[in-house]
Amino acid sequence: MPPVGGAALPAGEGLTAILNECRRQHEDAVATLDNGHPVLPQVIESLSVTRRALLLGMGASHHVNQIAAARLRARGL
């Protein structure tokens, strides 16, 4: 993430906390992708057998799941 600064960006504890959380979530997302690949074949197998998926989430996760659900439906699931 770009550093905080410049006349156009407000400084303060709130902004710092938000940017730190964004950095943490980015690192978590990358770790999930890196570590999630070993189970991906199992997920694909389960989807092909059951033809069903249960997607859970709140907030942004809910919206990402809506996108994933639409893509799964487009593939016949």
Side-chain angles (χ1 to χ4, degrees):
M1 298 197 80
V4 178
L9 292 175
E13 290 181 27
L15 178 60
T16 300
I18 290 169
L19 292 174
N20 286 339
E21 180 63 14
C22 289
R23 285 184 190 96
R24 187 193 63 75
Q25 287 187 16
H26 174 77
E27 292 169 6
D28 287 352
V30 170
T32 297
L33 290 173
D34 289 345
N35 298 326
H37 290 282
V39 299
L40 188 57
Q42 292 172 305
V43 172
I44 293 170
E45 175 67 19
S46 177
L47 287 171
S48 65
V49 170
T50 65
R51 312 292 297 164
R52 293 180 177 198
L54 174 62
L55 306 174
L56 304 172
M58 294 174 59
S61 300
H62 170 75
H63 294 288
V64 170
N65 283 341
Q66 294 292 1
I67 295 167
R71 290 184 176 194
L72 290 171
R73 279 193 298 275
R75 287 169 176 76
L77 297 173

